[in-house]
Structures are given as structure tokens and as C-alpha cells.
């Protein structure tokens, strides 16, 4: 099982949007583990195994009151940092057993997203400098579940040769099949990838691009941050930058969370939902394709055939295999 690789536990994964964690406990699943997330007494998130230390009831079925999570089975209650603060059946003054406290996971909020790490993190959350730039606005898309492997998603997000096939309903141009020679480089400290020019269909993308022409040329970069995060940047000739962070989280080997975040230095005049609907349509095309491809993408590259156009995904897969195999 890919998700059992210990190395994967040391990276950050998006499990929800911040707005989703409100009054009650929130159940998520990452790398095959059931996790409960809630807002503790000070508003900071708490993440712990979704398993009560008393008799193993799912804590996500409980209730949160003043930041304390009460189990629905016998009412044991957990506060900041997962500490057991109440055992209703215990006589006053009797200390709670040491094992009654929850082991917790690292959890932080960044870019409107909830990021979780199941072990000691070996890397940070990828830096998006536009998030601190007031000339950019951020648009979140919501977290979706895709019935496909995170490996297939990341491979797809690094790939452009599927554009004239999978994306003909949005921006793909059927005749533009040739992929120019690709050079990989460090795009910045956090993303490794490539720069390219893409001629794309704009008939459905005018609201997003701000350009009326039917076909436009974009300057683009696409890069990865291990294990499964991809960033695509689009620069239009008008000076508009449209940055997309594509976040993929393995729920298990063949199911994944997917969310994307956009940053744009536009004049904020087009409503966010109108801007994002184009990217949503593109994502739906990828999802429909990938959900038809079974299983995990083999990390052994000799198991599949690749050509020059696959260089970015081959390089990502090589680095992912090295990370997993140590
Ligand atoms: S199982 Fe949770 S309080 Fe008993
Ligand atoms: Fe795609």
C-alpha cells in the first residue's frame, strides 16, 4: 500500500477548508487514518485519531462545547491539545488515567486551508508569496473527493500533452498536440518544474483571462512540491497573473481529496465564482479521465512507457520514489 509508506507521514496535506471547521467535530481521512479535527477552547485547531481512548468510539460523532470535544459513548471530554479534561463516571478528585489523553497531530491553517501532518514534518507548507501581496486576491474552491490515486492526479497536473484530448471542452486545442522540448529547473525554493508557452482556446475562458480573443497565448510554469502539491502559474500579455495551487491528499491508495486555490492580481471586478468556474470545469475534465484509470501509478518507471513530453511527470515520479524508498 502506497499510503503506508512512513515517509509520506512527514509531509503536510490539506484535509479541509478552514471555514468547514466550525461548531462540531469534523471527520477526515488521510493516508488511510481516520482523524477528527475541531476548534479547541482558544479557537486553534486540534487534530487527533478519530478513536476515543476509552472504548474506541469515533470521536467525530461527539459534540463540541466551548472548544471541548465530548465523546458520544460515555461522555469523556477532551480540550486543548487533546487533554482529557473530564470523565463523567469518575468520582471527584480521582485523576484521569494517563492514557486518556489524545495523541495529537500537527495541524495548521494556511491559505484558507487546514493542513495536517501525521508525524514530525520534514518540510514546510509550500510558500505562495502572492498570499501576502495585497495586489492579489485569493479564491478558494472547496474540497472535493476524487476516486483516484494521488499519484495519478499529480502525474496529470504535471502533464500538458493531455490538453488537446481531455481539455477540448475548456481550453485545449485539438490540433496543438506537439509538446516542445521541456527543460526542468528550480522555479523557486519550493517548486521544481518548467516554463512554457501555451496557445489555448479562450472562448469559455474570457471571464478568467479578461481577454476577448478566441485563442490566446499564455506564459506558464508548472512545478511540483513533494509529495503531491503542484503549482501552475499563468501570465497573460495584459499583465494579469493567475496562480493555481493544486493540493492533493491521499485518503487511501485510490481515493484523494482535491482542492485548488487561486491568486490573481486582477482588479477584483469579476466575481470570484465566475473566475473559478473555468478552473472548476478544467478540473472536472481531469477528474472524469482519472477516475477511469485504475489503481496507483507504478513508481517503477519501467512499468510504463514515457516520451520527452512526460519529462516533468517522470522527474516528479523519480523524486517521489526516492522519497518513499529512502
Ligand atoms: S468510548 Fe468514548 S467515552 Fe467511552
Ligand atoms: Fe488536465
Amino acid at each position: 500500500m502506497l499510503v503506508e509508506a512512513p515517509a509520506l507521514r512527514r509531509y503536510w496535506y490539506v484535509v479541509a477548508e478552514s471555514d468547514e471547521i466550525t461548531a462540531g467535530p469534523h471527520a477526515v481521512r488521510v493516508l488511510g487514518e481516520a482523524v477528527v479535527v475541531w476548534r479547541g477552547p482558544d479557537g486553534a485547531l486540534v487534530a487527533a485519531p478519530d478513536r476515543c481512548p476509552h472504548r474506541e468510539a469515533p470521536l467525530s460523532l461527539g459534540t463540541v462545547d466551548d472548544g471541548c470535544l465530548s465523546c458520544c459513548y460515555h461522555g469523556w471530554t477532551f480540550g486543548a491539545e487533546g487533554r482529557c479534561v473530564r470523565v463523567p463516571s469518575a468520582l471527584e478528585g480521582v485523576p484521569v488515567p494517563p492514557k486518556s489523553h489524545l495523541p495529537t497531530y500537527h495541524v495548521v491553517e494556511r491559505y484558507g486551508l487546514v493542513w495536517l501532518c501525521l508525524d514530525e514534518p520534514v518540510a514546510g507548507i509550500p510558500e505562495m508569496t502572492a498570499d501576502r501581496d495585497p495586489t492579489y486576491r485569493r479564491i478558494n474552491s472547496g474540497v472535493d473527493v476524487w476516486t483516484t490515486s494521488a499519484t495519478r492526479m499529480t502525474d496529470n497536473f504535471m502533464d500538458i500533452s493531455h490538453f488537446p484530448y481531455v481539455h477540448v471542452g475548456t481550453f485545449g486545442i485539438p490540433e496543438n498536440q506537439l509538446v516542445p522540448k521541456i527543460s526542468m529547473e528550480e522555479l523557486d525554493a519550493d517548486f521544481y518544474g518548467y516554463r512554457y508557452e501555451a496557445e489555448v482556446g479562450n472562448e469559455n475562458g474570457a471571464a478568467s483571462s479578461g481577454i476577448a480573443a478566441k485563442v490566446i497565448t499564455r506564459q506558464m510554469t508548472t512545478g511540483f512540491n513533494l509529495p503531491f502539491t503542484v503549482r501552475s502559474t499563468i501570465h497573460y500579455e495584459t499583465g494579469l497573473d493567475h496562480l493555481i495551487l493544486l493540493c492533493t491528499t491521499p485518503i487511501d491508495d485510490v481515493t484523494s481529496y482535491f482542492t485548488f486555490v487561486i491568486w490573481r492580481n486582477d482588479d477584483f471586478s469579476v466575481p470570484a465564482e465566475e473566475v473559478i468556474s473555468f478552473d472548476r470545469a478544467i478540473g472536472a475534465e481531469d477528474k472524469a479521465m482519472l477516475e477511469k484509470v485504475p489503481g496507483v501509478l507504478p513508481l517503477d518507471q519501467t512499468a510504463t512507457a514515457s516520451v520527452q513530453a512526460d519529462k516533468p511527470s517522470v522527474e516528479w515520479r523519480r523524486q517521489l520514489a526516492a522519497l518513499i524508498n529512502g
Side-chain angles (χ1 to χ4, degrees):
M1 289 262 285
L2 177 83
V3 296
E4 286 174 358
L8 290 179
R9 298 172 66 86
R10 307 190 70 175
Y11 291 84
W12 293 96
Y13 301 97
V14 173
V15 295
E17 285 192 344
S18 284
D19 294 353
E20 291 180 81
I21 320 292
T22 51
H26 189 85
V28 299
R29 203 169 180 87
V30 56
L31 297 175
E33 292 212 7
V35 175
V36 61
V37 183
W38 81 94
R39 280 197 192 281
D42 56 356
L45 294 178
V46 187
D50 193 6
R51 167 194 170 274
C52 182
H54 180 221
R55 289 298 178 270
E56 305 190 303
L59 289 166
S60 56
L61 300 179
T63 51
V64 174
D65 197 16
D66 280 340
C68 291
L69 170 60
S70 292
C71 179
C72 64
Y73 197 175
H74 312 89
W76 289 28
T77 301
F78 308 89
E81 292 158 18
R83 291 199 66 79
C84 180
V85 293
R86 186 166 177 256
V87 173
S89 63
L91 293 173
E92 206 170 320
V94 177
V96 300
K99 277 188 148 180
S100 59
H101 305 298
L102 302 178
T104 54
Y105 299 124
H106 298 277
V107 61
V108 297
E109 294 176 82
R110 181 93 49 93
Y111 315 141
L113 305 171
V114 176
W115 299 76
L116 190 79
C117 181
L118 294 176
D119 203 335
E120 284 310 308
V122 288
I125 290 166
E127 196 58 53
M128 294 296 293
T129 50
D131 200 61
R132 294 193 303 270
D133 184 338
T135 64
Y136 282 75
R137 63 168 156 165
R138 192 186 75 218
I139 305 173
N140 287 88
S141 68
V143 178
D144 196 6
V145 174
W146 289 23
T147 310
T148 187
S149 167
T151 56
R152 298 216 180 271
M153 294 167 71
T154 313
D155 175 74
N156 171 278
F157 300 152
M158 289 303 298
D159 168 53
I160 57 176
S161 62
H162 71 283
F163 289 180
Y165 297 94
V166 171
H167 294 304
V168 283
T170 50
F171 69 94
I173 298 178
E175 299 76 42
N176 288 3
Q177 296 159 10
L178 205 64
V179 175
K181 196 165 186 303
I182 291 172
S183 302
M184 298 292 283
E185 60 181 290
E186 261 182 36
L187 297 170
D188 57 33
D190 283 359
F191 291 94
Y192 191 70
Y194 58 114
R195 298 171 195 277
Y196 56 104
E197 192 173 88
E199 187 185 52
V200 301
N202 189 50
E203 275 183 71
N204 302 313
S208 179
S209 66
I211 302 169
K214 285 196 170 135
V215 174
I216 56 173
T217 302
R218 307 153 150 189
Q219 304 302 321
M220 299 190 60
T221 74
T222 294
F224 65 83
N225 177 290
L226 290 172
F228 305 115
T229 304
V230 172
R231 183 192 66 189
S232 267
T233 70
I234 302 169
H235 180 73
Y236 294 100
E237 59 192 21
T238 54
L240 172 66
D241 283 317
H242 184 96
L243 320 177
I244 313 169
L245 188 68
L246 302 136
C247 304
T248 300
T249 299
I251 294 173
D252 55 34
D253 269 7
V254 290
T255 322
S256 310
Y257 293 123
F258 173 66
T259 194
F260 64 94
V261 185
I262 292 172
W263 288 263
R264 292 163 56 94
N265 61 345
D266 61 6
D267 63 5
F268 300 12
S269 60
V270 179
E273 198 43 53
E274 224 172 291
V275 168
I276 208 169
S277 65
F278 189 54
D279 294 290
R280 277 194 208 287
I282 295 166
E285 290 172 329
D286 287 318
K287 182 179 190 222
M289 180 68 243
L290 294 179
E291 290 188 340
K292 294 190 183 76
V293 185
V296 174
L297 177 67
L299 294 187
D300 171 8
Q301 309 240 22
T302 64
T304 54
S306 296
V307 293
Q308 153 72 25
D310 301 312
K311 191 171 177 177
S313 73
V314 164
E315 176 59 19
W316 161 74
R317 201 162 24 146
R318 187 188 69 72
Q319 291 195 25
L320 179 69
L323 180 156
I324 286 174
N325 298 327

